[in-house]
CSV table of all heavy atoms in Angstrom, one decimal:
chain,number,residue,atom,x,y,z
S,1,ALA,N,105.9,-19.2,-11.0
S,1,ALA,CA,106.5,-18.2,-11.9
S,1,ALA,C,107.7,-17.5,-11.3
S,1,ALA,O,108.7,-17.3,-12.0
S,1,ALA,CB,105.4,-17.2,-12.3
S,2,LEU,N,107.6,-17.1,-10.0
S,2,LEU,CA,108.7,-16.5,-9.4
S,2,LEU,C,109.9,-17.4,-9.2
S,2,LEU,O,111.1,-16.9,-9.3
S,2,LEU,CB,108.3,-15.9,-8.0
S,2,LEU,CG,107.4,-14.6,-8.0
S,2,LEU,CD1,106.9,-14.3,-6.7
S,2,LEU,CD2,108.2,-13.5,-8.6
S,3,ARG,N,109.7,-18.6,-9.1
S,3,ARG,CA,110.8,-19.6,-9.0
S,3,ARG,C,111.6,-19.6,-10.3
S,3,ARG,O,112.8,-19.5,-10.3
S,3,ARG,CB,110.3,-21.0,-8.7
S,3,ARG,CG,111.4,-22.1,-8.6
S,3,ARG,CD,110.8,-23.4,-8.1
S,3,ARG,NE,110.0,-24.1,-9.1
S,3,ARG,CZ,110.5,-24.9,-10.0
S,3,ARG,NH1,111.8,-25.2,-9.9
S,3,ARG,NH2,109.7,-25.6,-10.8
S,4,TYR,N,110.9,-19.6,-11.4
S,4,TYR,CA,111.5,-19.5,-12.7
S,4,TYR,C,112.2,-18.1,-12.9
S,4,TYR,O,113.3,-18.0,-13.5
S,4,TYR,CB,110.5,-19.8,-13.9
S,4,TYR,CG,110.4,-21.2,-14.1
S,4,TYR,CD1,109.5,-22.0,-13.3
S,4,TYR,CD2,111.1,-21.9,-15.1
S,4,TYR,CE1,109.4,-23.4,-13.6
S,4,TYR,CE2,110.9,-23.2,-15.4
S,4,TYR,CZ,110.1,-24.0,-14.6
S,4,TYR,OH,110.0,-25.3,-14.8
S,5,ALA,N,111.4,-17.0,-12.5
S,5,ALA,CA,112.0,-15.7,-12.7
S,5,ALA,C,113.3,-15.5,-12.0
S,5,ALA,O,114.2,-14.8,-12.5
S,5,ALA,CB,110.9,-14.7,-12.2
S,6,GLU,N,113.4,-16.1,-10.8
S,6,GLU,CA,114.6,-16.0,-10.1
S,6,GLU,C,115.8,-16.6,-10.8
S,6,GLU,O,116.9,-16.1,-11.0
S,6,GLU,CB,114.4,-16.6,-8.7
S,6,GLU,CG,115.7,-16.6,-7.8
S,6,GLU,CD,116.2,-15.3,-7.4
S,6,GLU,OE1,115.3,-14.3,-7.4
S,6,GLU,OE2,117.4,-15.1,-7.0
S,7,ALA,N,115.5,-17.8,-11.3
S,7,ALA,CA,116.6,-18.6,-12.0
S,7,ALA,C,117.0,-17.9,-13.3
S,7,ALA,O,118.1,-18.0,-13.7
S,7,ALA,CB,116.1,-20.0,-12.3
S,8,LEU,N,116.0,-17.3,-14.0
S,8,LEU,CA,116.3,-16.7,-15.3
S,8,LEU,C,116.5,-15.2,-15.2
S,8,LEU,O,116.8,-14.6,-16.3
S,8,LEU,CB,115.1,-17.0,-16.2
S,8,LEU,CG,114.7,-18.5,-16.4
S,8,LEU,CD1,113.4,-18.6,-17.2
S,8,LEU,CD2,115.8,-19.3,-16.9
S,9,ASP,N,116.5,-14.7,-14.1
S,9,ASP,CA,116.7,-13.2,-13.9
S,9,ASP,C,115.7,-12.5,-14.8
S,9,ASP,O,116.1,-11.5,-15.4
S,9,ASP,CB,118.2,-12.8,-14.2
S,9,ASP,CG,118.5,-11.4,-13.7
S,9,ASP,OD1,117.8,-11.0,-12.8
S,9,ASP,OD2,119.4,-10.8,-14.2
S,10,CYS,N,114.5,-12.8,-14.7
S,10,CYS,CA,113.5,-12.2,-15.6
S,10,CYS,C,112.7,-11.2,-14.8
S,10,CYS,O,112.1,-11.5,-13.8
S,10,CYS,CB,112.5,-13.3,-16.1
S,10,CYS,SG,111.2,-12.6,-17.2
S,11,PRO,N,112.7,-9.9,-15.3
S,11,PRO,CA,112.2,-8.8,-14.5
S,11,PRO,C,110.7,-8.6,-14.6
S,11,PRO,O,110.1,-7.9,-13.9
S,11,PRO,CB,112.9,-7.6,-15.0
S,11,PRO,CG,113.2,-7.9,-16.5
S,11,PRO,CD,113.4,-9.4,-16.5
S,12,ARG,N,110.1,-9.3,-15.6
S,12,ARG,CA,108.6,-9.0,-15.9
S,12,ARG,C,107.9,-10.3,-16.0
S,12,ARG,O,108.3,-11.3,-16.8
S,12,ARG,CB,108.5,-8.2,-17.2
S,12,ARG,CG,109.2,-6.9,-17.3
S,12,ARG,CD,109.2,-6.4,-18.7
S,12,ARG,NE,110.3,-5.3,-18.8
S,12,ARG,CZ,111.5,-5.6,-19.0
S,12,ARG,NH1,112.0,-6.8,-19.2
S,12,ARG,NH2,112.4,-4.6,-19.0
S,13,LEU,N,106.7,-10.4,-15.5
S,13,LEU,CA,105.8,-11.5,-15.6
S,13,LEU,C,104.4,-11.0,-16.0
S,13,LEU,O,103.9,-10.0,-15.4
S,13,LEU,CB,105.7,-12.3,-14.3
S,13,LEU,CG,107.0,-12.8,-13.7
S,13,LEU,CD1,106.9,-13.5,-12.3
S,13,LEU,CD2,107.6,-13.9,-14.7
S,14,HIS,N,103.8,-11.7,-16.9
S,14,HIS,CA,102.5,-11.3,-17.4
S,14,HIS,C,101.5,-12.3,-16.8
S,14,HIS,O,101.6,-13.5,-16.9
S,14,HIS,CB,102.5,-11.4,-18.9
S,14,HIS,CG,101.1,-11.3,-19.5
S,14,HIS,ND1,100.7,-12.0,-20.6
S,14,HIS,CD2,100.0,-10.6,-19.1
S,14,HIS,CE1,99.4,-11.7,-20.9
S,14,HIS,NE2,99.0,-10.8,-20.0
S,15,ALA,N,100.4,-11.7,-16.1
S,15,ALA,CA,99.3,-12.5,-15.6
S,15,ALA,C,98.2,-12.5,-16.6
S,15,ALA,O,97.5,-11.4,-16.7
S,15,ALA,CB,98.9,-12.0,-14.2
S,16,MET,N,97.9,-13.6,-17.2
S,16,MET,CA,96.8,-13.6,-18.2
S,16,MET,C,95.5,-13.6,-17.4
S,16,MET,O,95.3,-14.2,-16.3
S,16,MET,CB,96.9,-14.9,-19.0
S,16,MET,CG,98.0,-14.9,-20.0
S,16,MET,SD,98.0,-16.2,-21.2
S,16,MET,CE,96.7,-15.6,-22.3
S,17,ALA,N,94.5,-12.9,-17.9
S,17,ALA,CA,93.2,-12.6,-17.2
S,17,ALA,C,92.3,-13.8,-17.2
S,17,ALA,O,91.6,-14.0,-16.1
S,17,ALA,CB,92.6,-11.4,-17.7
S,18,GLY,N,92.2,-14.5,-18.3
S,18,GLY,CA,91.2,-15.6,-18.4
S,18,GLY,C,90.0,-15.2,-19.2
S,18,GLY,O,89.8,-14.0,-19.5
S,19,VAL,N,89.2,-16.2,-19.5
S,19,VAL,CA,88.1,-16.0,-20.3
S,19,VAL,C,86.8,-16.0,-19.5
S,19,VAL,O,86.6,-16.8,-18.6
S,19,VAL,CB,88.0,-17.2,-21.4
S,19,VAL,CG1,86.8,-17.2,-22.2
S,19,VAL,CG2,89.3,-17.1,-22.3
S,20,VAL,N,85.9,-15.1,-19.9
S,20,VAL,CA,84.6,-15.0,-19.3
S,20,VAL,C,83.6,-15.8,-20.1
S,20,VAL,O,83.6,-15.7,-21.4
S,20,VAL,CB,84.1,-13.6,-19.2
S,20,VAL,CG1,82.7,-13.5,-18.5
S,20,VAL,CG2,85.1,-12.7,-18.4
S,21,PRO,N,82.8,-16.7,-19.6
S,21,PRO,CA,81.8,-17.5,-20.4
S,21,PRO,C,80.9,-16.6,-21.2
S,21,PRO,O,80.5,-15.5,-20.8
S,21,PRO,CB,81.0,-18.2,-19.3
S,21,PRO,CG,81.9,-18.3,-18.1
S,21,PRO,CD,82.7,-17.0,-18.1
S,22,ALA,N,80.6,-17.0,-22.4
S,22,ALA,CA,79.8,-16.2,-23.4
S,22,ALA,C,78.5,-15.9,-22.8
S,22,ALA,O,77.9,-14.8,-23.1
S,22,ALA,CB,79.7,-16.9,-24.7
S,23,GLU,N,77.9,-16.8,-22.0
S,23,GLU,CA,76.6,-16.6,-21.4
S,23,GLU,C,76.6,-15.8,-20.1
S,23,GLU,O,75.5,-15.7,-19.5
S,23,GLU,CB,75.9,-17.9,-21.2
S,23,GLU,CG,76.5,-18.8,-20.1
S,23,GLU,CD,77.8,-19.6,-20.6
S,23,GLU,OE1,78.3,-19.3,-21.7
S,23,GLU,OE2,78.3,-20.4,-19.8
S,24,ALA,N,77.7,-15.3,-19.7
S,24,ALA,CA,77.8,-14.6,-18.4
S,24,ALA,C,76.9,-13.4,-18.3
S,24,ALA,O,76.8,-12.6,-19.2
S,24,ALA,CB,79.3,-14.2,-18.1
S,25,ASP,N,76.2,-13.3,-17.2
S,25,ASP,CA,75.3,-12.1,-16.9
S,25,ASP,C,76.2,-11.1,-16.2
S,25,ASP,O,77.4,-11.3,-15.9
S,25,ASP,CB,74.1,-12.5,-16.1
S,25,ASP,CG,74.5,-13.2,-14.8
S,25,ASP,OD1,75.6,-13.1,-14.3
S,25,ASP,OD2,73.5,-13.8,-14.2
S,26,ALA,N,75.5,-10.0,-15.9
S,26,ALA,CA,76.2,-8.8,-15.3
S,26,ALA,C,76.8,-9.2,-13.9
S,26,ALA,O,77.9,-8.7,-13.6
S,26,ALA,CB,75.3,-7.7,-15.1
S,27,ALA,N,76.1,-10.0,-13.2
S,27,ALA,CA,76.7,-10.4,-11.8
S,27,ALA,C,77.9,-11.3,-12.0
S,27,ALA,O,78.9,-11.1,-11.2
S,27,ALA,CB,75.6,-11.2,-11.1
S,28,THR,N,77.9,-12.1,-13.0
S,28,THR,CA,79.1,-13.0,-13.2
S,28,THR,C,80.3,-12.1,-13.7
S,28,THR,O,81.4,-12.3,-13.2
S,28,THR,CB,78.8,-14.0,-14.3
S,28,THR,OG1,77.7,-14.9,-13.8
S,28,THR,CG2,80.0,-14.9,-14.6
S,29,ARG,N,80.0,-11.2,-14.5
S,29,ARG,CA,81.1,-10.3,-15.0
S,29,ARG,C,81.7,-9.5,-13.9
S,29,ARG,O,82.9,-9.2,-13.8
S,29,ARG,CB,80.6,-9.5,-16.2
S,29,ARG,CG,80.3,-10.3,-17.4
S,29,ARG,CD,79.9,-9.4,-18.6
S,29,ARG,NE,79.5,-10.3,-19.8
S,29,ARG,CZ,80.4,-10.8,-20.6
S,29,ARG,NH1,81.7,-10.5,-20.4
S,29,ARG,NH2,80.0,-11.6,-21.6
S,30,GLU,N,80.8,-9.0,-13.0
S,30,GLU,CA,81.3,-8.3,-11.9
S,30,GLU,C,82.1,-9.2,-10.9
S,30,GLU,O,83.1,-8.7,-10.4
S,30,GLU,CB,80.1,-7.7,-11.1
S,30,GLU,CG,80.5,-7.0,-9.8
S,30,GLU,CD,81.5,-5.9,-9.9
S,30,GLU,OE1,81.6,-5.3,-11.0
S,30,GLU,OE2,82.2,-5.6,-9.0
S,31,ALA,N,81.8,-10.4,-10.8
S,31,ALA,CA,82.5,-11.3,-10.0
S,31,ALA,C,83.9,-11.5,-10.6
S,31,ALA,O,84.9,-11.6,-9.8
S,31,ALA,CB,81.8,-12.7,-9.8
S,32,HIS,N,84.0,-11.6,-11.9
S,32,HIS,CA,85.3,-11.7,-12.6
S,32,HIS,C,86.1,-10.4,-12.3
S,32,HIS,O,87.3,-10.5,-12.0
S,32,HIS,CB,85.1,-11.9,-14.1
S,32,HIS,CG,84.9,-13.3,-14.5
S,32,HIS,ND1,85.9,-14.1,-15.0
S,32,HIS,CD2,83.8,-14.1,-14.4
S,32,HIS,CE1,85.5,-15.3,-15.2
S,32,HIS,NE2,84.2,-15.4,-14.9
S,33,ARG,N,85.5,-9.3,-12.4
S,33,ARG,CA,86.2,-8.0,-12.2
S,33,ARG,C,86.8,-8.0,-10.8
S,33,ARG,O,87.9,-7.6,-10.5
S,33,ARG,CB,85.3,-6.9,-12.4
S,33,ARG,CG,86.0,-5.5,-12.4
S,33,ARG,CD,85.1,-4.3,-12.2
S,33,ARG,NE,84.5,-4.4,-10.9
S,33,ARG,CZ,85.2,-4.1,-9.7
S,33,ARG,NH1,86.4,-3.6,-9.8
S,33,ARG,NH2,84.6,-4.2,-8.6
S,34,ALA,N,85.9,-8.3,-9.8
S,34,ALA,CA,86.4,-8.2,-8.4
S,34,ALA,C,87.5,-9.2,-8.1
S,34,ALA,O,88.5,-8.9,-7.4
S,34,ALA,CB,85.2,-8.4,-7.5
S,35,THR,N,87.4,-10.4,-8.7
S,35,THR,CA,88.4,-11.4,-8.5
S,35,THR,C,89.7,-10.9,-9.2
S,35,THR,O,90.8,-11.1,-8.6
S,35,THR,CB,88.0,-12.7,-9.1
S,35,THR,OG1,86.8,-13.2,-8.5
S,35,THR,CG2,89.0,-13.8,-9.0
S,36,TYR,N,89.6,-10.4,-10.3
S,36,TYR,CA,90.8,-9.9,-11.1
S,36,TYR,C,91.5,-8.8,-10.2
S,36,TYR,O,92.8,-8.9,-10.1
S,36,TYR,CB,90.3,-9.3,-12.4
S,36,TYR,CG,91.4,-9.0,-13.4
S,36,TYR,CD1,92.4,-9.9,-13.7
S,36,TYR,CD2,91.3,-7.8,-14.1
S,36,TYR,CE1,93.3,-9.6,-14.7
S,36,TYR,CE2,92.3,-7.5,-15.1
S,36,TYR,CZ,93.3,-8.4,-15.4
S,36,TYR,OH,94.2,-8.1,-16.4
S,37,ILE,N,90.8,-7.9,-9.7
S,37,ILE,CA,91.4,-6.8,-9.0
S,37,ILE,C,92.1,-7.3,-7.7
S,37,ILE,O,93.3,-7.0,-7.4
S,37,ILE,CB,90.4,-5.7,-8.6
S,37,ILE,CG1,89.8,-5.1,-9.8
S,37,ILE,CG2,91.1,-4.7,-7.7
S,37,ILE,CD1,90.8,-4.4,-10.8
S,38,ALA,N,91.4,-8.2,-7.0
S,38,ALA,CA,92.0,-8.8,-5.8
S,38,ALA,C,93.2,-9.6,-6.1
S,38,ALA,O,94.3,-9.6,-5.4
S,38,ALA,CB,91.0,-9.6,-5.0
S,39,ASN,N,93.2,-10.5,-7.1
S,39,ASN,CA,94.3,-11.3,-7.5
S,39,ASN,C,95.5,-10.5,-7.9
S,39,ASN,O,96.6,-10.8,-7.6
S,39,ASN,CB,93.9,-12.3,-8.6
S,39,ASN,CG,93.2,-13.5,-8.0
S,39,ASN,OD1,93.4,-13.9,-6.9
S,39,ASN,ND2,92.5,-14.2,-8.9
S,40,LEU,N,95.3,-9.4,-8.7
S,40,LEU,CA,96.4,-8.6,-9.1
S,40,LEU,C,97.0,-7.9,-8.0
S,40,LEU,O,98.2,-7.7,-8.0
S,40,LEU,CB,95.9,-7.6,-10.2
S,40,LEU,CG,95.5,-8.2,-11.6
S,40,LEU,CD1,94.9,-7.1,-12.5
S,40,LEU,CD2,96.7,-8.9,-12.2
S,41,ARG,N,96.2,-7.4,-7.0
S,41,ARG,CA,96.8,-6.8,-5.8
S,41,ARG,C,97.7,-7.7,-5.1
S,41,ARG,O,98.9,-7.3,-4.7
S,41,ARG,CB,95.7,-6.3,-4.9
S,41,ARG,CG,95.0,-5.0,-5.4
S,41,ARG,CD,93.9,-4.6,-4.4
S,41,ARG,NE,93.3,-3.4,-4.9
S,41,ARG,CZ,92.0,-3.1,-4.6
S,41,ARG,NH1,91.3,-3.8,-3.8
S,41,ARG,NH2,91.5,-1.9,-5.1
S,42,HIS,N,97.3,-9.0,-4.9
S,42,HIS,CA,98.1,-10.0,-4.3
S,42,HIS,C,99.4,-10.3,-5.1
S,42,HIS,O,100.5,-10.3,-4.6
S,42,HIS,CB,97.4,-11.3,-4.1
S,42,HIS,CG,98.2,-12.3,-3.5
S,42,HIS,ND1,98.5,-12.4,-2.2
S,42,HIS,CD2,98.8,-13.4,-4.1
S,42,HIS,CE1,99.3,-13.5,-2.0
S,42,HIS,NE2,99.5,-14.1,-3.1
S,43,ALA,N,99.2,-10.5,-6.4
S,43,ALA,CA,100.4,-10.8,-7.3
S,43,ALA,C,101.4,-9.6,-7.3
S,43,ALA,O,102.6,-9.9,-7.2
S,43,ALA,CB,99.9,-11.1,-8.7
S,44,ALA,N,100.9,-8.4,-7.4
S,44,ALA,CA,101.8,-7.3,-7.5
S,44,ALA,C,102.6,-7.2,-6.2
S,44,ALA,O,103.8,-6.9,-6.2
S,44,ALA,CB,101.0,-6.0,-7.7
């Protein structure tokens, strides 16, 4: 995405979060949350 943003002089990029399985339990949802926070910190 940054390769394209540089070429297009695009100042904003949206990181889509993804879908949680419908059958996910509380532990799975917590794993998604922790992954999301860590990935967003790296991306930011």
Side-chain angles (χ1 to χ4, degrees):
L2 283 173
R3 182 170 73 89
Y4 276 82
E6 176 68 22
L8 304 179
D9 194 24
C10 182
R12 302 167 198 84
L13 300 174
H14 171 217
M16 296 189 73
V19 174
V20 180
E23 67 279 7
D25 58 16
T28 299
R29 292 182 182 279
E30 173 56 26
H32 275 262
R33 187 201 65 80
T35 301
Y36 192 47
I37 298 303
N39 276 339
L40 291 177
R41 283 177 179 154
H42 175 77

